Amino acid sequence: IVMLMGALFLCQSLSSTLEDEAISLDTRLWIFQMYGTSTRAFYTVFELTFSGGWPNYARKLVEEVSVAYSVFFYVYIIVVIFAMFRVITALFLRDTLAAASSDAETAIQEKMKHREQYAAKLLDFFRAADTSEDGFLTLAEFEAILSHDGVRTWLSIMEVDVHDTEQLFKILDSGDGLVSPDEFVEGILQLKGHARSQDVLRIMH
């Protein structure tokens, strides 16, 4: 709407200059080519708005027709072009931040899903190790299941160091000599992926 209003203003105000012999023929031809009809004027205003080369469409009018046109272009460039592009930039920035936020939420959800899947596998491991089926692991049960190379390999793949079985059990144990399912899962999740995490937990215990 603003571009259309600007185009109509230029087209109407410049119509009389097409017959003004005080203005050179080349300039009048240029004015007609650029602003001679409402369609030409609108296309020119559209072009000067989005091309970034607005001085090419304004200087000849200011220098060879009337300096009063400088006021029009001052207002149009400052209010329309600069303000409009700031709005467009803000909209793009908002969309970019929204997309980034969505990506972050997706990543968090994926991480939580992976953690839940990992915890489920640990619970399966716990049930297999709990041969007494009393809901707790003793050191003997823990050592028994870790005596199998396949189990040790699986834990290694899961990024858990099982080099020292007794020390690992002590890390998981809250002090009563038994490891509950929650203690086992949470303890292993804390150890997962950290080469020296067992040393840190050892100090804590």
Side-chain angles (χ1 to χ4, degrees):
I1 294 178
V2 177
M3 286 191 292
L4 179 61
M5 293 176 61
L8 292 176
F9 168 77
L10 291 171
C11 179
Q12 291 296 321
S13 64
L14 290 169
S15 60
S16 61
T17 62
L18 298 176
E19 299 177 0
D20 188 350
E21 296 183 356
I23 301 174
S24 68
L25 180 61
D26 288 342
T27 299
R28 283 183 285 164
L29 289 174
W30 180 86
I31 291 173
F32 177 77
Q33 182 181 6
M34 296 295 177
Y35 305 101
T37 65
S38 58
T39 303
R40 289 174 183 265
F42 181 75
Y43 180 78
T44 299
V45 172
F46 179 85
E47 197 171 39
L48 73 86
T49 301
F50 292 101
S51 68
W54 62 268
N56 298 325
Y57 305 94
R59 185 170 295 280
K60 186 168 288 191
L61 295 180
V62 174
E63 293 181 348
E64 300 186 30
V65 179
S66 173
V67 294
Y69 284 103
S70 63
V71 177
F72 169 81
F73 285 105
Y74 284 150
V75 174
Y76 186 84
I77 297 304
I78 293 173
V79 174
V80 178
I81 296 182
F82 290 161
M84 181 180 64
F85 278 105
R86 286 181 68 88
V87 171
I88 292 174
T89 301
L91 291 175
F92 275 116
L93 181 60
R94 185 192 65 182
D95 292 342
T96 301
L97 292 176
S101 177
S102 177
D103 291 342
E105 290 177 1
T106 301
I108 291 172
Q109 291 175 356
E110 286 294 327
K111 188 170 184 179
M112 291 178 64
K113 182 178 179 181
H114 178 72
R115 181 184 175 92
E116 290 172 357
Q117 293 174 343
Y118 186 86
K121 292 179 180 178
L122 291 176
L123 284 175
D124 289 339
F125 174 88
F126 182 92
R127 295 188 189 99
D130 182 20
T131 55
S132 64
E133 299 183 355
D134 61 353
F136 294 93
L137 285 184
T138 62
L139 176 58
E141 289 175 327
F142 194 59
E143 289 178 334
I145 196 167
L146 289 183
S147 65
H148 299 287
D149 291 337
V151 173
R152 299 176 71 90
T153 301
W154 180 79
L155 287 174
S156 179
I157 293 173
M158 301 296 278
E159 302 178 36
V160 177
D161 181 12
V162 292
H163 178 72
D164 190 337
T165 304
E166 184 176 354
Q167 184 60 48
L168 177 58
F169 184 85
K170 290 180 179 179
I171 292 172
L172 301 175
D173 176 21
S174 61
D176 58 0
L178 299 172
V179 175
S180 69
D182 290 340
E183 290 174 341
F184 180 77
V185 172
E186 290 302 320
I188 294 297
L189 287 175
Q190 291 182 52
L191 293 172
K192 181 178 180 294
H194 299 281
R196 303 300 297 173
S197 58
Q198 291 192 22
D199 291 334
V200 174
L201 290 177
R202 185 183 301 122
I203 294 173
M204 294 172 60
H205 285 70

